[in-house]
Amino acid sequence: MDKHTDNGDELTRRSFLGRIGQVAGLAVTGTALAAVATGSVASAAQTWRVPGEDSPHKRTWMAWPSSSIIWGGLLGRIQDDVAKIAKEIAKYEP
């Protein structure tokens, strides 16, 4: 990912995650991720939908926790928990 947005602002991990947070709960698509990365969150939100928990879907999007700066001494346990969640999801999704 380029470290600068279309408007020239630096895109850091923290600002990217902040933009993701602005649209939390919305389905994430390739187009939507690009919109978040470039700062056009409002226009991207118009193309997203939030399906019900029981709605069929093709994929689950997850992020791997890798920063000891964020997680500190909990990182190993957090990674174990995320791996367990991914394995459980894999039982029900291709």
Side-chain angles (χ1 to χ4, degrees):
M1 177 176 3
D2 188 3
K3 284 199 68 152
H4 290 86
T5 62
D6 289 342
N7 64 8
D9 293 338
E10 184 173 357
L11 183 63
T12 63
R13 179 182 173 91
R14 185 176 300 261
S15 64
F16 179 77
L17 292 174
R19 290 178 184 172
I20 290 284
Q22 290 173 351
V23 291
L26 299 176
V28 177
T29 65
T31 302
L33 277 176
V36 169
T38 59
S40 57
V41 173
S43 63
Q46 296 171 4
T47 63
W48 296 0
R49 71 180 191 88
V50 180
E53 291 180 9
D54 59 343
S55 295
H57 62 277
K58 293 182 181 179
R59 290 171 181 63
T60 298
W61 184 69
M62 297 179 70
W64 182 251
S66 61
S67 174
S68 60
I69 293 171
I70 295 171
W71 297 105
L74 297 174
L75 181 59
R77 288 188 284 170
I78 296 296
Q79 288 175 336
D80 289 344
D81 288 346
V82 170
K84 288 176 188 174
I85 292 168
K87 287 178 184 176
E88 197 63 29
I89 289 171
K91 292 178 182 178
Y92 304 98
E93 293 184 11

